[in-house]
Amino acid sequence: MMIPFAQDTPVVGEELAEEKTLSIIDLMFSGGPGGTIIILILAVLLFLAIYIYFERIFAIKAASKTDKNFMNQIKDSVTSGNIESAKMRCAQENSPVARLTQKGISRIGMPLEDINTAIENAGRLEVYKLEKNVSVLATIAGAAPMIGFLGTVIGMVIAFHELASSSGQAEMGSLAEGIYTAMTTTVAGLIVGIIAYIGYNHVVVRTDKVVHQMEATAVDFLDLLNEPS
């Protein structure tokens, strides 16, 4: 009598494992229309946050580039009375530091208080340019988790509605849509919020470094004007 080999029988565990396997995309969009809409909103916010982050990083990097000998050249020109040469050097540098210096050079001959005020006003404009759209990044960092939690509430409402409409006899398949919506939107919202928050803080740190550089340059320029001739 022949006994069949064990490998001829189907492996039920492997089949069930294959049936239960879900890709990340399937998992994200398995929460029904409400969950799908929220996931799409979070995807747009993620794209916007990444775009703003890299756009600001490149802009700040360009703004922080300044020739190490810039102030020495300005000092030599101003000391020798060659104001036009100093202005041309500032125009060639084309950076926030150079624009602040150029604003101060254009006020030479006026009281130091007026020069200081002009530099401060120009500095505020430069800081405003550096911080362009950074507030949007902060808003995304705070709003994304809240949108995710909104999906959680919607998902739980769907799940409890299924239970209520079926007098507590709802099938697990009917509850799955609400549970998927609750879980996936929460995870997605937290991920987008964390990415935006880290990006925001990094941009703020890089911006502060440029602002400090501008302040140091303004102090050096005012000290130059205070030096006895």
Side-chain angles (χ1 to χ4, degrees):
M1 182 176 181
M2 300 294 292
I3 298 177
F5 292 103
Q7 59 265 30
D8 292 337
T9 60
V11 182
V12 178
E14 292 182 359
E15 291 181 356
L16 291 176
E18 292 179 359
E19 291 177 358
K20 293 181 180 179
T21 301
L22 284 175
S23 66
I24 296 178
I25 300 299
D26 293 335
L27 183 62
M28 291 176 61
F29 293 98
S30 297
T36 300
I37 292 173
I38 290 178
I39 290 294
L40 291 176
I41 292 173
L42 290 173
V44 172
L45 292 179
L46 177 60
F47 172 79
L48 183 60
I50 293 174
Y51 171 79
I52 292 175
Y53 169 75
F54 282 105
E55 188 271 335
R56 284 294 86 201
I57 287 297
F58 290 138
I60 293 171
K61 184 177 180 180
S64 62
K65 289 182 178 180
T66 305
D67 189 355
K68 295 181 179 179
N69 295 322
F70 172 73
M71 283 307 298
N72 292 330
Q73 295 171 353
I74 295 298
K75 182 177 181 179
D76 293 339
S77 298
V78 173
T79 303
S80 62
N82 196 349
I83 304 301
E84 291 301 322
S85 176
K87 291 181 179 179
M88 290 179 60
R89 184 66 187 89
C90 292
Q92 292 173 354
E93 190 69 19
N94 191 25
S95 66
V97 169
R99 286 190 285 270
L100 287 185
T101 306
Q102 185 176 25
K103 181 64 68 174
I105 292 172
S106 64
R107 298 294 191 273
I108 289 179
M110 300 176 65
L112 286 177
E113 184 177 350
D114 294 341
I115 297 176
N116 187 30
T117 301
I119 292 176
E120 287 180 354
N121 292 335
R124 292 191 187 96
L125 293 176
E126 294 297 334
V127 172
Y128 176 78
K129 293 177 183 178
L130 291 173
E131 294 179 346
K132 179 183 178 182
N133 293 328
V134 175
S135 60
V136 177
L137 201 59
T139 302
I140 294 174
M146 296 177 65
I147 294 174
F149 293 146
L150 175 62
T152 302
V153 175
I154 293 175
M156 297 310 296
V157 168
I158 293 174
F160 281 112
H161 179 266
E162 291 294 335
L163 283 174
S165 60
S166 60
S167 301
Q169 302 296 323
E171 298 180 357
M172 291 302 299
S174 301
L175 298 176
E177 182 175 323
I179 296 173
Y180 267 128
T181 301
M183 296 299 101
T184 56
T185 55
T186 301
V187 173
L190 289 174
I191 290 174
V192 175
I194 290 171
I195 292 174
Y197 181 74
I198 293 174
Y200 168 77
N201 281 285
H202 186 221
V203 170
V204 168
V205 170
R206 295 289 297 271
T207 302
D208 288 342
K209 289 182 179 179
V210 179
V211 172
H212 176 73
Q213 187 179 9
M214 290 191 296
E215 291 175 348
T217 302
V219 171
D220 289 343
F221 180 76
L222 292 175
D223 289 342
L224 170 63
L225 297 182
N226 279 322
E227 289 181 358
S229 54

